[in-house]
Amino acid sequence: MMVEIRTPISVDEAINRLMKYKFEGTSETVSFHVCDGRRLAEPIVATSHVPSFDKSPYDGFAFRSEDTAAAKEGKAITFEVVEHIGAGTVPEKHIQPFQATRIMTGAQIPEGADCVEMFEKCEEFTNDGRSFITVEHQMKSGQNIIATGSEVKEGSVLIEKGTFIDPGVKALLATFGYAEVKVAKKPVVGVLATGTELLDIDEPLEPGKIRNSNAYMICSQIERAGGDYQYYGALPDELDSSYDKMKSTLEEVDVLITTGGVSVGDFDLIPEIYEKLEAEVLFNKVAQRPGSVTTVAHAKGKLLFGLSGNPSACFVGFELYTRPILQHALMNPNIFAVRAKALLAEDFPKTNPFSRFVRSYVTLENGQLHVHLAGMDKSNVVSSLARTTSLMELPASETGVKQGDEVEVLLLHVNERQNTFR
Amino acid sequence: MMVEIRTPISVDEAINRLMKYKFEGTSETVSFHVCDGRRLAEPIVATSHVPSFDKSPYDGFAFRSEDTAAAKEGKAITFEVVEHIGAGTVPEKHIQPFQATRIMTGAQIPEGADCVEMFEKCEEFTNDGRSFITVEHQMKSGQNIIATGSEVKEGSVLIEKGTFIDPGVKALLATFGYAEVKVAKKPVVGVLATGTELLDIDEPLEPGKIRNSNAYMICSQIERAGGDYQYYGALPDELDSSYDKMKSTLEEVDVLITTGGVSVGDFDLIPEIYEKLEAEVLFNKVAQRPGSVTTVAHAKGKLLFGLSGNPSACFVGFELYTRPILQHALMNPNIFAVRAKALLAEDFPKTNPFSRFVRSYVTLENGQLHVHLAGMDKSNVVSSLARTTSLMELPASETGVKQGDEVEVLLLHVNERQNTFR
């Protein structure tokens, strides 16, 4: 048997080729009550002025400012309190000269009144069962009144399409009566594992076998990225049945991911299946570690991601290539992981002819981003993935990097389902 | 009517008083398949060695290293290939001197063999229908073999209790056969709105009324923090029925949040209801903006959070006080929002006698955290909340802060459901 020689392309070139096949997402309308964590498929437009009526910012008294023209310390102006309204109660009395309305925070200003003074700055008294206040200072027209539309004008665009729906966005949707919300539909991503060595998670270990962790990890990555996953089980190392399964699966999903079977091993069937599917292979060798065998193809109008069977390579392959495709379909304007500069917290002496994506996590110290290794960087060690919140990207180098060096990191836990940085 | 005078306490003192009443969460067992986004209620312990058998890191040939003792360039040693195994296939042949097994990445090393050499470094030939390889260099015992337990030893603690379950953690759970996972039970948080001015989100606006945005915003904050919310509707501004409703609600939840009604306005009933419930009021005035009226009480063994009816104050009150209580119940070891230093991106000239929590968002520029204002900082403006990913905490000051000043920020979108920073 001959070992196939593949020529590696750069990560940038791989992404360029892939981006030609990114596809537009569709939208669907969901109830306000279940829209958390989705992305807006249309901007939020103010359906009314905010506030929608002139209102009071304080608990106090509303009256005519012109009545205070002669007021000064020692010369009090007296107003009769003719009505008493709380928030949600509509004032009924039209305020006449030297009349006042007792008004609560958020309540509507009565007609005739053009200012509000706080309780603390008025003197109250009663006389013969009637209520009065006195004011010893002048007031200006509009003073302490939140005018209609002063916060938001009806029709203004408040939040852009593609925004992740978090509690603040929800408050805005509620304010403007968006009982239904148009959101980006979750792309459906099929997942197929390959390899006869795979046991399911509830099976006891057997000699020569390992439990299937990749497929479930990818399902979790899809969910975190905002997609819907559909797990179709593991393919046996047998060409015809694997081809049939992939072909039928492809019809049911927007994107198909396989794990394993993309290498040049004797039992790696994915390349042959792609050929049978008449898929256009965009790339099958990338100058990166881990995940150099990551293969992406296009068939029947859909993208096929052939991720490595190695857990770390599989993880990295998803984040680098599949995730941006899903973000685009989800209308996220920032489809790539946030890239930031960070100071390396410990030496990393390994050299590499390829770009390396090192499992790591970041900390903030005095406002400065630092990056730490998540564990042994053997591509076959699964445990460090559980501590990974970033990938440190090291360019090909013959020297390695040292503690204190500035390096680039891809932040995996931000801007996927949350807009932490923008 | 007299205006009640309340003496403000500091935010730190408020948190100190609150922390005496934090409560331990309970755990529940859920299927592996639905554990994403939960927190581990027990550590992940390796249930087996990784790998659980000696395995090959490469596609290549396994044989006895001692057979290569005399090998050197120009002096090839010949091995007969007696078996051919892929990952998941168990080798059956015990390797004898000058025999080799063709072996795929991840496959189990056959008995008798103690090293693996890659395809590329062996010469293959066939003779009379039998397969052979030659090797022209010496091999060491153990070379290119991933030894049993070399990555993880059975019984070792890999991930701590309280960890947020993300894709990497899920890969680990799958690897060790955690078909069921013990997770922290979500605390149940009741939400009650107060105020006759509230319309539901699907109702048209009326004079003097606004739509209820706070209650839904809080439900979303609870969900983001990992809790379960239960929305019980809006209370009318009527004491007896409101008391009855709060009393019965309190029996059904772990924590009860109300929005509004905590001020000293004439229709603010929460203080009276707390009294009727014989609640111990931990504080009802905090030296902070917004949210100085935030009130926390303890009754029937449960915490009651009386958040302001003002949207921003309500938002801030939840993040500062309710969220840490929920994080503790969820076994998150980091109960408080991540606090970081950041450079202020624009002037903020406002002064304040109280600590101020400014709605803001953060960016990373050359690895340095910057903080930007999310919008007008009027406490009654809801729209800026939709752009808020952090709260800038400014201490009481008579001078304001300027662009380029170093300030403290609380990061709201990290370490809640995701461990971005640690």
Side-chain angles (χ1 to χ4, degrees), chain A residues 36 158 220 363 387 422, chain B residues 36 102 158 220 363 387 422:
Chain A
D36 283 272
L158 300 172
S220 184
T363 55
R387 301 188 187 278
R422 47 181 185 172
Chain B
D36 282 273
R102 185 179 177 92
L158 299 172
S220 184
T363 55
R387 301 190 187 276
R422 47 177 186 176

Side-chain angles (χ1 to χ4, degrees), chain A residues 36 84 88 102 108 146 151 158 160 166 175 197 201 208 211 220 266 341 363 367 369 380 387 413 422, chain B residues 36 84 88 102 108 146 151 158 166 175 177 197 208 211 220 266 341 363 367 369 380 387 413 422:
Chain A
D36 283 272
H84 183 175
R102 185 178 176 95
Q108 185 172 343
I146 306 175
E151 292 172 6
L158 300 172
E160 305 71 28
D166 73 1
T175 299
E197 77 275 27
I201 51 162
R211 289 200 191 86
S220 184
D266 301 352
K341 290 199 190 332
T363 55
L369 201 64
N380 41 17
R387 301 188 187 278
H413 274 185
R422 47 181 185 172
Chain B
D36 282 273
H84 183 177
R102 185 179 177 92
Q108 184 171 345
I146 306 176
E151 293 172 5
L158 299 172
D166 73 1
T175 299
E197 77 275 24
R211 290 199 192 86
S220 184
D266 303 351
K341 290 199 190 332
T363 55
L369 202 62
N380 41 18
R387 301 190 187 276
H413 275 186
R422 47 177 186 176

Side-chain angles (χ1 to χ4, degrees), chain B residues 30-177:
Chain B
V30 299
S31 160
F32 166 84
H33 299 288
V34 296
C35 72
D36 282 273
R38 305 295 295 267
R39 287 189 183 272
L40 294 170
E42 60 182 5
I44 303 179
V45 176
T47 54
S48 59
H49 289 315
V50 176
S52 60
F53 48 87
D54 290 354
K55 73 174 181 183
S56 174
Y58 301 121
D59 295 338
F61 296 94
F63 46 85
R64 293 157 27 112
S65 60
E66 64 193 276
D67 295 345
T68 64
K72 60 179 178 186
E73 213 171 307
K75 180 150 192 240
I77 308 292
T78 302
F79 294 87
E80 179 173 5
V81 180
V82 295
E83 196 176 11
H84 183 177
I85 56 167
T89 315
V90 182
E92 287 172 3
K93 297 247 168 82
H94 188 118
I95 290 297
Q96 304 299 326
F98 304 103
Q99 289 187 339
T101 292
R102 185 179 177 92
I103 190 170
M104 297 295 112
T105 304
Q108 184 171 345
I109 306 296
E111 277 186 69
D114 69 348
C115 71
V116 170
E117 191 50 291
M118 293 182 250
F119 284 167
E120 300 90 306
K121 298 196 176 164
C122 305
E123 285 293 323
E124 297 177 65
F125 66 95
T126 53
N127 188 359
D128 203 12
R130 291 157 69 194
S131 290
F132 297 89
I133 57 164
T134 58
V135 174
E136 287 197 2
H137 52 275
Q138 290 179 3
M139 295 290 292
K140 277 177 280 193
S141 181
Q143 195 171 341
N144 295 337
I145 286 182
I146 306 176
T148 303
S150 62
E151 293 172 5
V152 178
K153 295 262 180 279
E154 183 176 338
S156 40
V157 173
L158 299 172
I159 293 290
E160 305 72 26
K161 170 183 161 177
T163 299
F164 181 88
I165 300 174
D166 73 1
V169 174
K170 265 202 119 172
L172 210 55
L173 289 167
T175 299
F176 293 106

Side-chain angles (χ1 to χ4, degrees), chain B residues 357-395:
Chain B
F357 294 89
V358 185
R359 298 181 294 285
S360 52
Y361 63 91
V362 288
T363 55
L364 277 170
E365 288 156 41
N366 289 319
Q368 169 68 49
L369 202 62
H370 290 243
V371 59
H372 309 254
L373 306 181
M376 281 196 288
D377 193 49
K378 285 193 187 170
S379 58
N380 41 18
V381 174
V382 75
S383 55
S384 63
L385 283 175
R387 301 190 187 276
T388 294
T389 63
S390 62
L391 293 172
M392 170 167 73
E393 182 175 1
L394 300 178

Side-chain angles (χ1 to χ4, degrees), chain A residues 331-403:
Chain A
M331 307 183 189
N332 181 356
N334 307 307
I335 67 173
F336 295 109
V338 175
R339 182 181 290 271
K341 290 199 190 332
L343 298 182
L344 183 54
E346 52 206 291
D347 290 350
F348 186 82
K350 282 194 197 174
T351 62
N352 209 311
F354 285 175
S355 296
R356 191 188 275 274
F357 295 88
V358 185
R359 297 180 295 284
S360 52
Y361 64 92
V362 288
T363 55
L364 276 170
E365 288 157 40
N366 290 318
Q368 171 67 48
L369 201 64
H370 290 244
V371 59
H372 310 254
L373 306 181
M376 280 195 288
D377 194 52
K378 285 194 186 169
S379 58
N380 41 17
V381 174
V382 76
S383 55
S384 63
L385 283 176
R387 301 188 187 278
T388 294
T389 64
S390 62
L391 293 173
M392 170 167 73
E393 182 176 0
L394 300 178
S397 155
E398 291 180 1
T399 56
V401 280
K402 287 200 167 52
Q403 185 183 351

